[in-house]
Amino acid sequence: MSKEIIEIKDVTFRYPDVEKETPLVLNGVTLAIDQGSFVAVLGHNGSGKSTLAKHMNAIYLPEGGTVYVDGISTAEEERLLDIRRTVGMVFQNPDNQIVANVVEEDVAFAPENLGVPSEEIRERVDRTLELVGMSKYAKHAPHLLSGGQKQRIAIAGVIAMEPRCIVLDEPTAMLDPIGREDVLRTITKLNREQGITVVLITHHMDEAALADRLVVMDHGKVIQDGPPREVFQHVEELTRRGLTVPETVGLLHQLRENGVNVPLDALSVEECAEAIYAALR
Amino acid sequence: MLKDITLGQFFPGDTIVHRLDPRTKILMVIIYIVALFQAKWFVTYGILLVFLAIAVRFSKVGAKALMRGMKPVLFILIFTGVLNLFYNTAGTILWHWGIFTVTTGGIRVAFFMVIRIMMLISGTFLLTYTTSPILLTDGIECLLGPLKKLRVPVHELAMMMSIALRFIPTLIEETDKIMSAQKARGADFDSGNLIDKAKALIPLLVPLFVSAFRRADELATAMECRCYHGGEGRTRLRQLVYTGKDWITLISGLALLAVVCVLAYGFGL
C-alpha cells in the first residue's frame, strides 16, 4: 500500500471541445496527497479547483498526465468501482445528492450498490449516522432537514461506502453559519478520529486554516503548497491573486507594514492576541 | 400555498396492515378490485364492504381520512351516477320527461356503479395510506421481477419512480421560490382568462425545467460517485420477507374472490 492515496502527475485538462481552442482549465498540476492528511485546496472561481477535485475519483479523466488513486490509474475503466469506493465525493448542493426519501435509506444507497449484505448495511448505516451526529433523524424525510443537516447526511452517505479518502467540493457554500460550523466539525472529526484522508475544496480562508496542508490554485496551476501558517505568510501574493487571508493574518500584516514587529503565523484569534500583546510589551 | 399538495399520501403507523409485506398489499388490492368488478347485488357488495371495513379498522386510518380522499373524485362520482341513471333503460319506467327516462334498472346500475367506484378508491387509498412510497416501489419492483427476463428494465423503472417521489417536495419548494421571484418582478399569475393564465406560467416553467435538468445532472454524478451501476449485484438495506401473516392474508383474499365469484355467477347475488 502506497503512502500516497492520490497522486496527480502533470495533469492537463480542458472541457471537451473539438478544435481544442478553449483554454486549459488545469495546466500541469502535480500533487500528491498523503494517506490520513487533511488538505485544503483554495482558489477563487475559475481557478480549476473543482475540476481538479473531479479528477480525484475519475469523474473527469485528464487530457494529459495521469491520476493515480491508491496506485490505480483513473484511466483504467474496469477498476472504476475500486477507485470510487476508495475516494468518495461530496458536492456543494446537498439536495442534489440525496437519493432516497428517508435518511437511513439514503445512507444505505452506496453500500447497497456495492452489494454489501443487509445486516452489514444496517450496521454501517447506524455507525455512520452516529458519526455525523444524525442518529435521531434516521427515519426522517431529508427535505424537512436544514441545509447543514442535509449536507451531513450526504457526507454520511459517502462515509457508509467506507472510503479511505473523501473529497468535498465546497460543501459549505450553500449553508448558513451554523450549518457550516456543524459540517466543518464533522469533517475534522472524520479526519482526526477515523483517519480518513480529507480533501476540502473551498474559497473560505478560515476553512482552509483548519487543514494540515494548504494548496492554493490559480489559473489551473498550483501556486502555493504548504502548511496554512506558511502559505498565509505570502499575504501580498495571495492578495494580488484576488484571494484574501484570514482576518487575523490580515491584521498582523497591516501592523507589520506599519512598523510593529509581530509574527505573521497566528491563525486563531487567541494566537493573534498573544502576538500583539507580546509585541506591545 | 403549494405545500399542501399530497401525492400518494402516507400515514406512518405500526398496525398489522402497515406491517404487511407491500407485495401482499398490492396483490390484495388487485384481488379486491377484480372481486369488486364481479360483484352483482347487495350480498356480494356487502361481503366486500365488510372486508374493506375490517381492513380500515385494523389500519386505524379512520373513515374520515378515506372520505377526504373522495373529494377530488366527487365530480366523477356524480357524473357516472347521473349518466348511468339515464343511460340504462331496463326495468319499469318510473319517470319520463323528453329524452330523459328513469327506470328501476337505471337506478340500480347507477347506485351500484357509484358504490363500486367509492369502494375502489377507498381500497387503493388504503394501500397508499399504509405503505411508504419506498416500500411500495420495492414491492412493485419485486412483483415485476419476472419481467426482467423479457428485458423489461424493472429496476430502472423502480429507481426512477423512487427518485421522482424523492424530488416532488424539492421541486415544489423550488416552484414556490421561482413564483415569488417572478411576482417580485411583476409577473401576474392570477388574473386574466384561461389562456392568459397558461401564458403566465411560461416564466415559471422555463426556469423550473432548467433547474430540474441541472439537478438531474448533478444527481447522476453524485449517484455514480456512490458506485451506482444499475440493479446488478445490488443488495437492500431492508429485505422484503414473506411471513405467515402475509400468506394467511393472501389466501383469505383468494377465498374472498372465489366466494364473490360463486355468489355472483352461481346465484346472481
Side-chain angles (χ1 to χ4, degrees), chain A residues 57 59 81 84 95-102 105-106 109-110 112-113 115-116 118 121 143 157 161, chain B residues 134 159 165-167 169 215 218-219 221-229 233-239:
Chain A
N57 73 344
I59 297 174
L81 281 187
R84 297 234 162 112
D95 270 325
N96 298 350
Q97 300 173 66
I98 294 173
V99 187
N101 40 14
V102 176
E105 293 272 340
D106 186 72
F109 183 71
E112 282 178 344
N113 289 333
V116 175
S118 300
I121 299 181
H143 70 270
M161 206 157 64
Chain B
I134 301 176
M159 185 50 107
L165 284 168
R166 144 81 182 87
F167 273 91
R215 278 179 194 282
E218 273 182 37
L219 182 71
T221 314
M223 282 169 75
E224 278 188 3
C225 284
R226 287 162 76 185
C227 298
Y228 182 70
H229 55 284
R234 213 162 176 266
T235 46
R236 304 305 301 255
L237 168 65
R238 232 183 327 202
Q239 230 78 13

Side-chain angles (χ1 to χ4, degrees), chain B residues 88-99:
Chain B
N88 195 300
T89 50
T92 44
I93 294 168
L94 294 175
W95 182 73
H96 185 82
W97 185 78
I99 52 162

